[in-house]
Amino acid sequence: KKNLDKRVSEGSYSNILNISAAVESLVGIDRYESWLVENLKLLSYESYKSNDKKIQLNSKVAAELIAGGQLSNVFHEIEPLVERQGQKNPDFKLLDSTYLEVYCPQTSQQNIEAVQKQHNEQKDKMISISFSHPQTGQTVGAKRYPSNKIIDRVLSHKRNNDQTKVDSYNLLWLDLTHGFNASCDDALPLVTIHHVGTIYTGSFGIWHAFYGKKHKSTFTPDRTELRYLNSNSGYYQQMEDGLFRQRQHLNGALLLTKDGLIFFENPWAKMALPEEVKKKITQLYRFRANYSWFQASEKIMPSELVERELNKIEWLYQKSD
């Protein structure tokens, strides 16, 4: 699919648009000049090599550059922080006692290797064909429980690498464009897809990675039609609690997708996020309020909203007599 004006792929166009908007926000501001130049050099063509470490480095740099530039439009005193070995290291200080870390999950390394193997086995053919599952990978478990694999890939590193600061407000910026190419619809708790006159119902897993509950959140097999429910065919449950249930010092997450920015608030947070911070979040570039989950004002979003959604999904998949 091409963007007719820019003649680049839709996913690449979104990435270029986000980087361009970020750079425009930072250009001309003296205190960001050295940080901006350093990151642009890392993203330059000369520094790019076709190996996994370089790809991940470029994705991480791009994610931090986009986050810093776009946040600077509303958090005018934003400060990039230097990594310090042996300490918890958020990537940015937004306001006094308000910090943000950036994370950019990558495609499955197992999938990359599987695709390469498929191509290698077809070297004698004029045209080689491969089947790719970049988000989940291609193991038997991934094919059988894809939403759990999405949950693992989105936040597995963050479960073991807590950069939140106690007695401060903490946010996570999750870049789902470089490596994941996710859309806002992928972050819904429940999705329906219309295909050739049929409606299929299911969940991608991103929302559940934050709000889901172990052995409670229910996922359907592929191509599930509610009118033909069969309780014995492929339903499975979440294997890990959502990150918000595990991180009471994490106030919320900003999810960058290819078609907008989403805000998820943590209903189990120790402290309520200040209203000033929430308001600034709603003013960010390409913010999508209708996909976001948060409570207006300085009150914490009630956890009952999440439990109600999980109960609704579970109820939908129960076959009536």
Side-chain angles (χ1 to χ4, degrees), residues 274-297:
E275 183 176 12
E276 175 192 11
V277 176
K278 288 186 183 180
K279 268 293 184 183
K280 287 180 180 295
I281 287 173
T282 66
Q283 296 161 5
L284 286 168
Y285 179 64
R286 302 180 86 193
F287 177 71
R288 303 293 295 273
N290 57 318
Y291 288 95
S292 299
W293 284 65
F294 64 95
Q295 178 71 25
S297 75

Side-chain angles (χ1 to χ4, degrees), residues 64 84 107 120 163 218 281 313:
E64 291 186 9
R84 301 185 187 280
T107 55
N120 291 340
Q163 292 174 263
T218 305
I281 287 173
I313 294 171

Side-chain angles (χ1 to χ4, degrees), residues 89-299:
N89 296 305
D91 294 297
F92 295 98
K93 182 178 181 180
L94 304 183
L95 297 167
D96 286 341
S97 299
T98 305
Y99 297 90
L100 178 137
E101 58 180 298
V102 178
Y103 180 51
C104 184
Q106 295 297 297
T107 55
S108 166
Q109 179 61 33
Q110 183 273 335
N111 175 75
I112 294 172
E113 293 170 358
V115 170
Q116 185 60 52
K117 181 180 178 182
Q118 292 174 55
H119 283 304
N120 291 340
E121 291 172 348
Q122 303 174 72
K123 284 184 176 179
D124 58 333
K125 298 181 180 180
M126 292 184 63
I127 299 175
S128 65
I129 299 173
S130 63
F131 297 93
S132 177
H133 303 270
Q135 285 88 15
T136 63
Q138 301 189 33
T139 62
V140 174
K143 294 174 183 177
R144 187 173 181 183
Y145 309 115
S147 292
N148 272 331
K149 290 302 176 182
I150 293 292
I151 292 168
D152 288 345
R153 191 156 304 285
V154 166
L155 288 173
S156 60
H157 179 68
K158 285 295 111 182
R159 295 184 193 279
N160 302 318
N161 185 20
D162 182 4
Q163 292 174 263
T164 56
K165 287 181 172 287
V166 178
D167 298 326
S168 297
Y169 303 108
N170 297 279
L171 294 168
L172 172 67
W173 178 286
L174 185 66
D175 188 314
L176 295 171
T177 62
H178 295 86
F180 245 73
N181 201 31
S183 69
C184 287
D185 281 346
D186 292 331
L188 289 170
L190 189 69
V191 176
T192 57
I193 297 173
H194 177 259
H195 180 69
V196 195
T198 302
I199 301 297
Y200 299 111
T201 302
S203 302
F204 192 61
I206 293 174
W207 183 88
H208 298 80
F210 289 95
Y211 293 112
K213 191 172 184 179
K214 183 177 180 180
H215 298 159
K216 168 73 174 178
S217 303
T218 305
F219 302 106
T220 65
D222 285 344
R223 296 182 177 274
T224 293
E225 294 183 72
L226 294 179
R227 60 178 178 160
Y228 297 130
L229 285 179
N230 182 346
S231 58
N232 295 319
S233 52
Y235 291 85
Y236 58 99
Q237 293 178 321
Q238 189 161 332
M239 298 305 295
E240 293 281 352
D241 278 337
L243 187 67
F244 284 156
R245 296 177 187 267
Q246 300 175 336
R247 291 277 168 80
Q248 294 183 326
H249 296 294
L250 180 62
N251 295 89
L254 292 157
L255 284 66
L256 182 69
T257 75
K258 63 184 180 182
D259 53 353
L261 184 70
I262 301 168
F263 174 49
F264 284 171
E265 183 180 5
N266 185 357
W268 299 281
K270 284 282 188 183
M271 301 188 297
L273 198 62
E275 183 176 12
E276 175 192 11
V277 176
K278 288 186 183 180
K279 268 293 184 183
K280 287 180 180 295
I281 287 173
T282 66
Q283 296 161 5
L284 286 168
Y285 179 64
R286 302 180 86 193
F287 177 71
R288 303 293 295 273
N290 57 318
Y291 288 95
S292 299
W293 284 65
F294 64 95
Q295 178 71 25
S297 75
E298 198 163 340
K299 295 179 181 179

Side-chain angles (χ1 to χ4, degrees), residues 294-308:
F294 64 95
Q295 178 71 25
S297 75
E298 198 163 340
K299 295 179 181 179
I300 297 178
M301 185 182 84
S303 61
E304 288 80 6
L305 293 177
V306 172
E307 305 303 341
R308 194 180 305 160

Side-chain angles (χ1 to χ4, degrees), residues 65-81:
L65 181 59
I66 290 169
Q70 296 191 14
L71 288 163
S72 71
N73 283 318
V74 294
F75 294 96
H76 301 302
E77 301 303 317
I78 185 173
E79 177 187 350
L81 300 177

